[in-house]
Amino acid sequence: MVNAVLRGLAAAALVILPVVAPALAHAAETLPLADAVAGLQVATECRNGYVRNKFRHWNTGDDPAHGCNTRAEVLLHEAVDPPTVGAGCRLTGGSWWSYYDASVVTSAGSLDIDDMVPLAEAWDSGASAWTRSGARRTSTTRAPRPRSSRSPHAPTAARPTRPPAQWMPPGAEVHCRYVGEWVGTKPRWGLAVDDVELAALEGAGADCLQETVTYEPGH
């Protein structure tokens, strides 16, 4: 079953939003998962005013000269076997690994790009307060490699806007990793958790004693 959600790479955030996230003052930090959960801000979530198109979809990427937008850059960063890059950044070949369900995907065209913290959840958690005075790179992903907000995955409707209290990857052996990436993303972008989400994360922190969380300020 190709529920392939690929996670890996890029704290160098590859999502562009037409909003400015609050600047975070702390330096990069690595903590045990339980300690990172204890440091999360808790607040009531609210989806009032959320519209998907308030979040810009793709930009021209880090290097406009090569013709690759952020989607292609994520695919290139995440590839296990790098694809061939043709004219206009057309990608052929290559393969991608999904740690969610231990699947290999070999067609870039069959992959979607997903946010670690879904945009609706980010809005509920504090992104609604970000100013609209410009575009800012932001990431909603992950770990032990530099983490990215966006990751390739085969299309699935299982996780559109759900936090860990409501959805986890199919493979139980990767739940600690998934929670660690989620927890590392929220404080990086000044996003809160609600009481139900916090309880689920605290339970994971108690069970995932070997998991650490590394996050750094957004750029």
Side-chain angles (χ1 to χ4, degrees), residues 37 40-43 45 117 121 124-125 162-166 179 182-183 186 191-204:
V37 170
L40 292 172
Q41 176 187 355
V42 182
E45 293 189 354
V117 174
E121 168 66 21
D124 299 351
S125 306
R162 301 179 185 180
Q166 300 172 1
V179 170
W182 181 279
V183 171
K186 284 253 172 157
L191 301 176
V193 299
D194 65 13
D195 290 333
V196 173
E197 184 181 351
L198 179 64
L201 298 175
E202 287 176 336

Side-chain angles (χ1 to χ4, degrees), residues 1-203:
M1 157 176 168
V2 192
N3 257 348
V5 181
L6 300 156
R7 300 285 167 196
L9 189 74
L14 295 173
V15 178
I16 301 294
L17 306 187
V19 289
V20 176
L24 304 184
H26 57 265
E29 194 172 5
T30 299
L31 300 170
L33 177 58
D35 291 349
V37 170
L40 292 172
Q41 176 187 355
V42 182
T44 301
E45 293 189 354
C46 178
R47 193 159 298 182
N48 291 347
Y50 172 72
V51 178
R52 173 65 179 82
N53 63 15
K54 289 182 178 180
F55 293 81
R56 199 200 246 162
H57 198 50
W58 301 121
N59 80 325
T60 54
D62 281 338
D63 183 4
H66 59 31
C68 294
N69 63 13
T70 50
R71 169 186 163 80
E73 287 183 340
V74 171
L75 290 170
L76 289 168
H77 280 305
E78 298 284 347
V80 175
D81 297 309
T84 299
V85 183
C89 199
R90 179 180 174 80
L91 306 182
T92 56
S95 66
W96 293 264
W97 172 252
S98 168
Y99 83 72
Y100 278 20
D101 53 11
S103 296
V104 175
V105 179
T106 56
S107 170
S110 69
L111 294 164
D112 288 338
I113 304 297
D114 196 21
D115 298 284
M116 182 64 203
V117 174
L119 296 181
E121 168 66 21
W123 180 271
D124 299 351
S125 306
S128 59
W130 295 352
T131 67
R132 298 179 58 82
S133 59
R136 184 181 186 86
R137 282 181 188 254
T138 181
S139 160
T140 53
T141 277
R142 131 21 311 163
R145 292 182 279 170
R147 45 214 100 210
S148 135
S149 149
R150 299 206 124 180
S151 303
H153 71 91
T156 175
R159 179 195 172 267
T161 61
R162 301 179 185 180
Q166 300 172 1
W167 187 90
M168 294 284 273
E173 69 279 4
V174 300
H175 287 183
C176 291
R177 175 178 173 179
Y178 180 79
V179 170
E181 292 173 1
W182 181 279
V183 171
T185 299
K186 284 253 172 157
R188 181 180 178 190
W189 300 107
L191 301 176
V193 299
D194 65 13
D195 290 333
V196 173
E197 184 181 351
L198 179 64
L201 298 175
E202 287 176 336

